[in-house]
Amino acid sequence: MKNILKKLNITRLRPAPEIVLYICLTGAFILFVAALAVPVPAWVKKAVFGASILLSMYDMILEAILRLIKKRSLDKNLLFLIGAVTAFCIGKAGAGAAAVLMLRVGTLLREIITEKITTHIKSRLDRRPETANAVINGAVTRVPAGRVKVGDIVSVAPGEILAFDGIVISGESALDTSAFTGDARLVPVTDGSLVTSGSVNNTGVLNVRVTMAFDEAFVAQAAAIVEEASERKAKPERRLARVTGLITPAVVVLAVLIGLAVPLIGGLPITPWLYRALTLLFVASGTVYSALVSITYFAGIARALQSGILFKGHSILDAVAHTTSVIFDKTGVLTTGRFQVTDIHAYEISGERLFLLAAYAEMFSNHPIARSIAAAAGTEPDESKASNYRELPGRGVEVQIGSVTVSAGNERMMAEVGITPDLSQAPASVVYIAVNGKYAGRILLRDDLKPDSQKAIADIKALGIDRIALFTGDKKEAAADVAVSLGIRELHAECLPDEKEKRLKSLREMQLEGDKLVFVGDGVADAALFQMADIAVTLGGFGRLEVFEPADVVVMTDEAGKIPVAITLARETAKTVSKSIIALLGVKSLLLLTVLIGIVPVWLAVFIDAAACIFAVFNAARAFGLHLNDLRALLFSKKSRETVDDEDF
């Protein structure tokens, strides 16, 4: 049979069309009511109840048979089928039909609520219009967004959402990016400004040259990450899946013992015990707890995104909830990364000449200090004059400018050249300059703290996280000044890249099992550290897809203050998951106990179990921040519903 299925390419039963399911459930309900209300012979009544059962669970029967043949494993559908057959055989066809109907309607209602919530969440993530105003030969034409190509020009009116990433070629406006960044402040844009999809144009008309196709735009890719995040399951989900896999065969064994062994050994009537056994099967098969937990994680991820924080998966969200150590890179994370020149000390050449040579040396480097010096030079260095450029990570750079060799960097760089500079003791970053192997001077720079850095560290401490450390390649005096200002006790300064890796490895090894270490830095420059950390976090991710790949958590804005917010949201979601699991398992255990005692009829047990399922879905909606009015509006909206499968979460 398995080979036949393989030849027919039947790997999984696809859900029946929605209308077929509704027709079958309606027909099953009519038959059930007719069997109760119409006085007919007992055998006819039993046959009608049987027909009601078959109509209610026709697709579940096929799915159970297919799974048994292909995987040789029991699932909830098979328990359901065994329970229904048992009810029919012991003369409890009416009770069995009632339980089947109630369970199917409860499951269907849970799926409808779940789909409404997830659709609502997804619509908030990618709200872009499906059409755009393309500028063709000077005229504005409304076209499907998918037809717009890279290089085309689109016109965006006030109040419209940008469907594309692009560059403003004409117009001035202010953009609302709060849907992704959580920041209500408007962003001014004008000619030459880069704009990101998902932003709302507030004031003037903008003409934008498209730089990314509709399906490849920032918002599309970010929304896809959230939608696919369920593939990275959290530990509670994996544990629950393993437990569920063990429960099904255990319940079958227990039902056999209760329904057959107990009455036979004890000399008791067999029918009441078989009734208890079938009730046990119905209760055990009625709730898909792993799906409900997954919904909660999904809702938590989407809620975090409203605050400008993207968790790349359920497992990441769960890991952040168990954070015990936070390690920060300094430059551009806790500081602005925009260095200001505070002093220049030149020897045997003028300060202007020293600064220009430094600008030439740094013009090819992406380090924040290098970019700041190049920007402050006031003149654009001529790249054609430079050659033999080399960069020594953690040390500095060297370049040939005509007949002059310029070396710029820290003390280690000077040691490479064979120079001992006049060391600066000032609490500032310093770049030493050597020309043709001779010391030429130094440039002092200051990197100011971000406005929210002090509060960010204080908030992290308030969460009970004691280990907060600062990693930097900057000189000790400058790094110590930052650490003292922020109240960070653990400082590792003047670190080369490999030294940072060793220190991070050491900190990880000091953690207890289950504790998680977060590293906050630049996803490009700190790629090795991102790989080593339990959770890698990068800031300023809005519109920068290059930082998405290495990071586990992307903060859309450049705010360090979002780190404690991320930890708080993760803990709240994890707490909701724990409460849901405890509550559901408590209800399930209580139901099983009442079933064993024999005080709860099968239909009531199934009703309570289905109600617990629906309550858990509403609880998941709370993790996203949806309230009762929001849920009421969602449930009674007229949008079409797609079939939701438990395995899709």
Side-chain angles (χ1 to χ4, degrees):
M1 177 63 75
K2 188 173 181 179
N3 291 332
I4 293 174
L5 292 174
K6 188 175 181 179
K7 289 179 181 179
L8 292 175
N9 197 27
I10 301 175
T11 57
R12 184 182 176 205
L13 186 68
R14 295 186 179 277
E18 189 176 80
I19 187 65
V20 174
L21 181 60
Y22 286 158
I23 290 173
C24 288
L25 287 180
T26 302
F29 178 75
I30 293 172
L31 289 175
F32 176 76
V33 172
L36 288 178
V38 179
V40 293
W43 67 270
V44 175
K45 191 182 291 286
K46 187 175 182 179
V48 173
F49 281 136
S52 176
I53 291 173
L54 288 174
L55 276 177
S56 296
M57 57 183 302
Y58 75 97
D59 55 334
M60 297 179 70
I61 294 172
L62 295 176
E63 181 73 34
I65 294 172
L66 183 62
R67 186 180 183 90
L68 187 62
I69 294 171
K70 285 190 83 286
K71 298 184 178 181
R72 290 185 172 86
S73 62
L74 303 175
D75 69 346
K76 61 184 180 65
N77 292 332
L78 190 60
L79 294 186
F80 211 2
L81 177 59
I82 295 171
V85 171
T86 303
F88 193 79
C89 293
I90 66 173
K92 298 289 185 178
V100 168
L101 263 176
M102 212 165 286
L103 199 150
R104 285 314 305 269
V105 171
T107 301
L108 184 62
L109 181 59
R110 172 179 63 78
E111 291 177 353
I112 292 173
I113 297 171
T114 298
E115 195 278 333
K116 293 277 189 180
I117 292 171
T118 52
T119 300
H120 177 66
I121 291 171
K122 291 173 187 176
S123 68
R124 289 197 188 183
L125 302 183
D126 189 355
R127 306 174 302 152
R128 297 178 301 160
E130 294 295 328
T131 58
N133 293 318
V135 180
I136 304 173
N137 297 325
V140 177
T141 305
R142 198 75 174 171
V143 298
R147 288 176 53 187
V148 176
K149 301 176 182 178
V150 173
D152 290 350
I153 298 172
V154 294
S155 178
V156 186
E160 289 187 341
I161 299 173
L162 274 70
F164 305 92
D165 299 346
I167 301 174
V168 177
I169 60 172
S170 66
E172 292 184 1
S173 186
L175 301 183
D176 179 1
T177 62
S178 59
F180 258 82
T181 64
D183 188 350
R185 291 173 295 183
L186 298 179
V187 180
V189 293
T190 186
D191 293 10
S193 297
L194 297 175
V195 293
T196 304
S197 53
S199 305
V200 180
N201 185 22
N202 260 42
T203 51
V205 176
L206 294 175
N207 286 327
V208 178
R209 187 180 302 281
V210 175
T211 57
M212 296 288 285
F214 184 74
D215 292 336
E216 297 175 354
F218 171 79
V219 166
Q221 295 193 46
I225 288 173
V226 176
E227 190 171 352
E228 295 167 4
S230 59
E231 295 178 7
R232 302 177 69 174
K233 299 294 184 183
K235 278 188 178 180
E237 292 176 279
R238 295 195 296 269
R239 291 196 197 104
L240 205 54
R242 286 195 296 268
V243 170
T244 303
L246 296 173
I247 283 177
T248 302
V251 166
V252 172
V253 173
L254 184 60
V256 171
L257 291 175
I258 292 173
L260 298 176
V262 171
L264 291 176
I265 295 173
L268 302 172
I270 194 169
T271 300
W273 288 97
L274 283 175
Y275 183 71
R276 294 180 187 183
L278 76 90
T279 305
L280 179 68
L281 292 174
F282 276 125
V283 172
S285 64
T287 307
V288 187
Y289 291 160
S290 58
L292 301 176
V293 171
S294 296
I295 294 165
T296 307
Y297 278 116
F298 179 83
I301 289 173
R303 182 185 179 188
L305 189 53
Q306 288 187 316
S307 299
I309 302 163
L310 175 62
F311 292 98
K312 289 173 62 176
H314 300 179
S315 60
I316 301 301
L317 183 65
D318 184 64
V320 172
H322 296 87
T323 298
T324 56
S325 301
V326 181
I327 314 301
F328 286 96
D329 187 28
K330 179 181 77 70
T331 305
V333 177
L334 295 174
T335 62
T336 62
R338 296 183 293 272
F339 289 82
Q340 304 295 322
V341 177
T342 59
D343 203 359
I344 299 176
H345 294 263
Y347 293 86
E348 300 182 1
I349 62 174
S350 67
E352 292 78 6
R353 173 69 174 167
L354 179 74
F355 200 77
L356 182 60
L357 290 174
Y360 265 100
E362 302 284 15
M363 67 178 172
F364 297 109
S365 175
N366 286 320
H367 192 280
I369 290 180
R371 292 199 301 266
S372 298
I373 290 176
T379 59
E380 190 72 26
D382 186 354
E383 293 185 16
S384 65
K385 294 181 179 180
S387 61
N388 299 327
Y389 173 82
R390 69 186 184 112
E391 184 166 353
L392 285 72
R395 295 175 176 84
V397 296
E398 188 173 85
V399 68
Q400 188 84 18
I401 306 171
S403 61
V404 177
T405 299
V406 180
S407 304
N410 55 23
E411 296 172 48
R412 290 189 175 100
M413 187 66 195
M414 292 299 100
E416 293 275 342
V417 183
I419 292 174
T420 302
D422 60 329
L423 299 178
S424 169
Q425 302 301 319
S429 301
V430 60
V431 176
Y432 299 103
I433 311 295
V435 178
N436 288 335
K438 294 179 63 177
Y439 183 57
R442 69 190 186 204
I443 300 174
L444 300 182
L445 306 99
R446 185 188 70 251
D447 185 15
D448 294 330
L449 292 175
K450 289 181 179 177
D452 68 332
S453 290
Q454 287 182 324
K455 186 176 186 302
I457 301 301
D459 289 347
I460 292 172
K461 289 181 178 179
L463 292 173
I465 297 173
D466 296 325
R467 165 149 277 163
I468 303 173
L470 185 63
F471 279 15
T472 181
D474 207 350
K475 58 178 290 191
K476 291 179 181 178
E477 291 82 2
D481 185 56
V482 170
V484 170
S485 299
L486 296 175
I488 296 177
R489 298 178 183 176
E490 189 170 346
L491 171 64
H492 303 279
E494 298 183 6
C495 295
L496 292 174
D498 60 333
E499 292 174 339
K500 288 183 179 180
E501 293 174 28
K502 290 177 183 178
R503 294 183 188 279
L504 187 63
K505 181 180 179 182
S506 176
L507 291 178
R508 278 199 65 186
E509 291 173 349
M510 293 169 61
Q511 295 186 130
L512 299 175
E513 186 178 354
D515 291 349
K516 299 299 179 182
L517 181 147
V518 170
F519 179 78
V520 188
D522 186 317
V524 179
D526 299 317
L529 298 177
F530 270 36
Q531 291 291 329
M532 295 176 63
D534 294 316
I535 307 112
V537 181
T538 191
L539 305 182
F542 184 61
R544 296 176 58 213
L545 288 171
E546 70 272 11
V547 303
F548 268 62
E549 182 62 30
D552 298 309
V553 180
V554 180
V555 176
M556 297 297 177
T557 61
D558 205 27
E559 300 169 278
K562 292 292 181 71
I563 304 300
V565 174
I567 296 172
T568 300
L569 286 172
R571 288 182 177 180
E572 288 178 356
T573 303
K575 190 180 294 183
T576 302
V577 168
S578 297
K579 287 181 178 178
S580 295
I581 291 175
I582 292 171
L584 288 169
L585 291 179
V587 170
K588 184 74 78 176
S589 300
L590 185 60
L591 281 175
L592 292 176
L593 179 62
T594 57
V595 166
L596 293 176
I597 298 173
I599 60 176
V600 173
V602 63
W603 65 267
L604 181 58
V606 172
F607 176 82
I608 295 173
D609 199 45
C613 265
I614 295 169
F615 173 79
V617 174
F618 278 102
N619 202 37
R622 288 179 58 250
F624 180 58
L626 290 176
H627 301 292
L628 186 60
N629 290 337
D630 301 315
L631 293 169
R632 188 183 298 115
L634 284 175
L635 291 178
F636 293 102
S637 65
K638 295 183 179 180
K639 292 182 180 180
S640 62
R641 188 187 73 84
E642 297 177 356
T643 303
V644 176
D645 194 293
D646 294 332
E647 295 181 15
D648 290 336
F649 291 96

